[in-house]
Amino acid sequence: MQPLKLCYFSATATEIPSLSEGMRLCLDQGLPLTSHARTQVQLFDRSRQQAFVRELLRAEVVIISLHGGKASFPAFDLLQEELAKVETEQRPLIHIQPTSGDEDSIEAAREFSTEFGSPAWDLIKHYLQYGGAQNFHQLLVHLYQRLHGGEWVAHPPRPLPDDGIYHPDISRTPVFADYLAQRVDPAKITVGLWFYQTYWTNNNLAFVDSLIRSIEAHGANVIPVFHLRYKDAERGNRGADDVVTDYFMDGDRPRIDVLINPLMFSLTLAAPAFKPLLATLGVPVIQAVTCSAPYAQWAESVQGLPTMDVSYSAAQPEFDGALITVPVATREQEAIDPLTGALLAKYMPIPERVDKVVRLALNWGRLGRIPVGERKIAIIFHHYPPRNDRIGCAAGLDSFASVSALLTRMREQGYRIEHEYPEKDELAHTLLEKMTCDQRWLPMDQMAARAEAKAGAEHYQGWHNELPAPIREKMVEDWGTMPGQLFVHEDRLHFAGLINGNVFLTIQPPRGYLEQIDKVLHDLYLSPPHHYLAQYRWIRDVFQADAVLHIGKHG
């Protein structure tokens, strides 16, 4: 039998695993075919683009999946030039899939697809749009039967679920009621986790699995939901609002305590109708950032996240009220798929960062379950440079008036606060009566006498030892052996601020730039002083704050 010759381009590489699996299913049933596939990353120079176009012109079927117009296919102009040299009847069947739905991609499909606007084009479009290995399998059967005949019968495109529960320990999509009964204990913190349906469709789930495993290892429930985020009128799919209603809400109350969101962009900017959605859900939304760069590049970079990721995965989600955290996964493109020749792209977890985000999410989840009168809050005033006249400095914000009003409101809501500050400058003067970070006016013994927060070796040595060895060594190089010299009296570290009931009012500790200004001139990576880190560890481990508020910032 003559094999079907397919040439395939993917701008995103997302669907390549499904294409490969679809090919394997065809070969297993004896259907002969060959495939030559490439992704955008692989066509990085003129010679590779020319070689790929030569393969395109030798194929029987060409499928080009665009994501962002013609520019998403580096060889588009070259293909256009070469097609002009070939008689129409000698050209392969060309199907351009406007995957992202943008106008440029649709126009390219209209201009260059062999059958645009026909039922035949729509059929191929739906196979690709629904995606998954089974739809690719049936698409290949359809193309073979159409071009070579035979007894092969292709099933029509099959829509996959718009949303559903995914768990690595469950082979099929479970009935939600059964999942709740078997895996969700109402006495435990429950974490919602939603992610793109395409991750589920194309088995790009390694980092999702890692999040699920970490949540459960920390003793919490997880409700992991794949979904199509936005509604498509043509497709008629469900969207984010249906997910919130059906999975994350129990009637008019949230079923989850916190939501982890690894999705890019802003939900509400792209779909204004969803603006009330997260407010109605009423739980903290934790942004788990995905990084488009590979791990090695991310780890070695001074900046960390690529600039576009900062926009997509940090800045834009903030418009939805998401709390920005750290990268939990990097996009790895190292393996070549043996059946298609395309470069596989997978998001792979950063285990330590996954655990950090999960711990943070669980802390937010627990906060909602702590009775208000038992919650402990640390409020830290911005402070730079470390002079008394710069405590609480902020552009366009009266920090002391704001915190005074906040404390009054907190007391009304049941927080344990022993003293309010109704007068305009009372809070500022009260802080100045305690230890501050201004070393110009008092010797250290008098500053220590004013300090309400302090830590001895029994605490700070453990905080130091828990640091990674390179960090620990750099801090010792910069600041001497623990505890150093800064704000140390009688071998104890002392911290600015005062305790007011269940609230610790404090001042941002000095970062060290002015304390060792000579080093700043020669060391771009001056580590923070021992005192700086110890103050935050004291807040975490000794005061045991449930939440920390930073007040004020540069303009």
Side-chain angles (χ1 to χ4, degrees):
M1 291 186 293
Q2 182 180 354
L4 173 71
K5 297 178 181 178
L6 170 70
C7 202
Y8 191 98
F9 170 79
S10 172
T12 65
T14 302
E15 76 280 19
I16 295 299
S18 293
L19 169 64
S20 181
E21 179 63 14
M23 282 190 64
R24 187 191 64 77
L25 293 170
C26 287
L27 294 171
D28 286 350
Q29 72 177 94
L31 190 151
L33 57 87
T34 62
S35 173
H36 186 88
R38 292 293 183 268
T39 65
Q40 187 182 71
V41 173
Q42 290 175 283
L43 302 182
F44 58 85
D45 64 18
R46 184 75 173 179
S47 64
R48 287 166 176 77
Q49 294 164 16
Q50 290 171 336
F52 187 58
V53 169
R54 286 194 295 270
E55 292 291 339
L56 287 175
L57 296 177
R58 285 196 288 263
E60 294 175 281
V61 179
V62 173
I63 296 175
I64 298 172
S65 175
L66 300 180
H67 194 279
K70 298 176 184 177
S72 64
F73 177 31
F76 201 103
D77 291 340
L78 183 60
L79 173 62
Q80 186 175 353
E81 293 172 11
E82 294 303 315
L83 282 175
K85 303 173 185 177
V86 180
E87 296 293 335
T88 302
E89 60 273 11
Q90 295 179 334
R91 295 178 182 179
L93 171 63
I94 298 176
H95 177 93
I96 294 181
Q97 182 78 0
T99 303
S100 58
D102 59 280
E103 291 184 9
D104 190 22
S105 297
I106 294 171
E107 184 57 35
R110 178 182 293 109
E111 185 176 355
F112 294 100
S113 290
T114 306
E115 303 169 322
F116 183 84
S118 70
W121 187 88
D122 288 338
L123 184 65
I124 297 175
K125 173 195 172 186
H126 284 117
Y127 278 121
L128 296 169
Q129 183 181 51
Y130 295 147
Q134 291 296 333
N135 279 316
F136 270 101
H137 174 208
Q138 297 306 318
L139 168 61
L140 295 172
V141 172
H142 160 74
L143 291 171
Y144 187 93
Q145 194 278 333
R146 176 178 168 185
L147 295 178
H148 295 289
E151 298 180 356
W152 309 103
V153 177
H155 299 297
R158 182 173 65 89
L160 299 180
D162 296 337
D163 51 72
I165 292 290
Y166 163 78
H167 194 287
D169 293 339
I170 303 174
S171 58
R172 296 181 178 273
T173 303
V175 175
F176 185 45
D178 295 341
Y179 182 86
L180 288 177
Q182 296 167 11
R183 303 194 74 99
V184 176
D185 178 356
K188 297 180 178 179
I189 300 296
T190 298
V191 179
L193 169 63
W194 61 5
F195 54 94
Y196 292 118
Q197 187 241 30
T198 53
Y199 292 164
W200 173 78
T201 301
N202 297 294
N203 195 30
N204 191 1
L205 295 163
F207 87 95
V208 175
D209 290 352
S210 184
L211 284 165
I212 292 170
R213 299 292 190 204
S214 180
I215 291 166
E216 293 183 333
H218 282 84
N221 306 312
V222 58
I223 299 178
V225 183
F226 64 84
H227 73 299
L228 294 166
R229 197 178 199 191
Y230 304 111
K231 294 188 174 181
D232 184 326
E234 179 185 353
R235 187 167 182 167
N237 61 282
R238 289 155 50 87
D241 54 341
D242 299 295
V243 172
V244 168
T245 300
D246 295 347
Y247 296 94
F248 298 151
M249 297 289 288
D250 184 7
D252 60 355
R253 296 176 59 84
R255 179 178 277 118
I256 62 175
D257 297 286
V258 61
L259 174 62
I260 294 180
N261 174 62
L263 307 178
M264 292 178 280
F265 304 103
S266 166
L267 173 67
T268 56
L269 290 181
F274 287 158
K275 280 191 175 179
L277 186 60
L278 296 178
T280 300
L281 177 60
V283 301
V285 179
I286 308 300
Q287 184 70 19
V289 178
T290 54
C291 174
S292 63
Y295 178 83
Q297 179 181 327
W298 169 76
E300 293 172 7
S301 168
V302 174
Q303 175 172 312
L305 278 181
T307 301
M308 295 306 293
D309 287 345
V310 173
S311 171
Y312 297 156
S313 296
Q316 292 196 43
E318 283 192 322
F319 285 99
D320 301 334
L323 302 167
I324 309 304
T325 62
V326 296
V328 296
T330 53
R331 194 167 190 253
E332 304 301 320
Q333 300 184 80
E334 296 179 346
I336 298 292
D337 175 58
L339 285 180
T340 66
L343 189 64
L344 293 169
K346 294 277 189 180
Y347 278 108
M348 300 303 294
I350 309 172
E352 183 265 335
R353 303 284 83 186
V354 167
D355 288 341
K356 178 179 179 63
V357 168
V358 168
R359 291 196 305 270
L360 181 62
L362 294 180
N363 285 342
W364 276 101
R366 291 188 192 100
L367 182 62
R369 295 193 175 200
I370 299 172
V372 173
E374 298 176 14
R375 293 178 188 170
K376 302 189 78 172
I377 310 297
I379 298 177
I380 303 175
F381 285 95
H382 178 61
H383 189 208
Y384 187 82
R387 305 191 315 252
N388 285 348
D389 61 307
R390 297 293 293 169
I391 298 173
C393 57
L397 177 73
D398 188 331
S399 297
F400 295 112
S402 298
V403 171
S404 295
L406 177 65
L407 292 171
T408 299
R409 180 72 63 86
M410 289 170 64
R411 193 175 194 181
E412 292 170 355
Q413 293 184 1
Y415 287 86
R416 189 167 75 83
I417 293 170
E418 296 173 353
H419 183 75
E420 295 182 49
Y421 306 94
E423 298 299 325
K424 182 176 182 296
D425 296 323
E426 185 179 353
L427 175 55
H429 288 300
T430 302
L431 280 172
L432 290 174
E433 290 171 359
K434 301 296 180 179
M435 175 181 154
T436 71
C437 297
D438 192 333
Q439 303 179 75
R440 296 176 299 171
W441 312 113
L442 294 175
M444 190 57 230
D445 60 333
Q446 294 184 37
M447 295 179 73
R450 295 186 175 200
E452 293 190 11
K454 57 196 74 175
E458 70 278 8
H459 285 118
Y460 64 64
Q461 202 59 57
W463 297 332
H464 184 65
N465 291 340
E466 73 182 22
L467 294 171
I471 303 298
R472 198 166 59 239
E473 292 165 5
K474 182 70 166 69
M475 291 181 71
V476 169
E477 177 187 333
D478 291 341
W479 300 97
T481 57
M482 191 71 176
Q485 302 291 323
L486 193 60
F487 300 112
V488 175
H489 180 64
E490 296 181 348
D491 205 34
R492 297 173 71 83
L493 284 163
H494 297 77
F495 312 113
L498 61 97
I499 297 172
N500 183 349
N502 279 347
V503 176
F504 178 47
L505 293 158
T506 187
I507 298 164
Q508 185 178 22
R511 176 60 178 81
Y513 296 126
L514 298 182
E515 286 71 17
Q516 295 214 45
I517 196 166
D518 55 326
K519 281 196 174 184
V520 175
L521 298 176
H522 304 287
D523 186 353
L524 295 176
Y525 305 103
L526 179 68
S527 62
H530 298 301
H531 172 269
Y532 184 95
L533 179 64
Q535 177 162 332
Y536 285 97
R537 292 295 183 261
W538 184 92
I539 290 171
R540 183 191 70 180
D541 296 341
V542 180
F543 182 71
Q544 297 184 335
D546 299 300
V548 177
L549 284 68
H550 280 264
I551 308 296
K553 190 60 179 170
H554 289 291

